[in-house]
Amino acid sequence: MNKPLILLTVLVLAGCSSTPKPADYPVSPMMATAYAEGAMTITWKAESNQTYTVYYTDVPYGTKPDWKTLPQATNLRGAGKQVTISDKVAPDSLRRYLLLRGDQKPY
């Protein structure tokens, strides 16, 4: 039998034996945020024919986030260029954002 194939099978099966615990605060490395004049600007490069939804949470750090859909950023269709949306928030807001593709949902 092919040794690399056996090793790959063992690694795949070993990885399937446990459920990974999601991070408390997932990070969306493909988006950038900036705060100015009472609004958070969220920007990312959207791939063509891909949909995106931005989620937000206002819970303090150290608490499991309660992710909610940002109404103006639900099922946005990408066109291969940069997308920028704005969200009005107070300067002292604890709001954080999560960008997901397609039908992905926060945990």
Side-chain angles (χ1 to χ4, degrees), residues 38-101:
M40 185 68 74
T41 301
I42 305 160
T43 305
W44 73 95
K45 178 155 187 209
E47 296 176 21
S48 293
N49 300 317
Q50 182 67 258
T51 59
Y52 297 87
T53 298
V54 177
Y55 294 86
Y56 73 93
T57 186
D58 292 314
V59 300
Y61 284 100
T63 305
K64 184 173 179 165
D66 177 23
W67 295 108
K68 298 174 187 151
T69 305
L70 193 62
Q72 67 270 33
T74 303
N75 293 320
L76 301 175
R77 181 151 308 272
K81 55 186 172 181
Q82 184 171 299
V83 172
T84 300
I85 60 166
S86 183
D87 183 30
K88 291 187 180 202
V89 292
D92 59 348
S93 173
L94 298 175
R95 185 165 286 190
R96 295 182 308 279
Y97 300 92
L98 173 66
L99 174 65
L100 294 178
R101 288 192 241 193

Side-chain angles (χ1 to χ4, degrees), residues 6-27:
I6 292 171
L7 180 59
L8 177 60
T9 302
V10 170
L11 289 173
V12 168
L13 291 175
C16 293
S17 65
S18 64
T19 304
K21 182 181 175 207
D24 285 339
Y25 300 100
V27 176

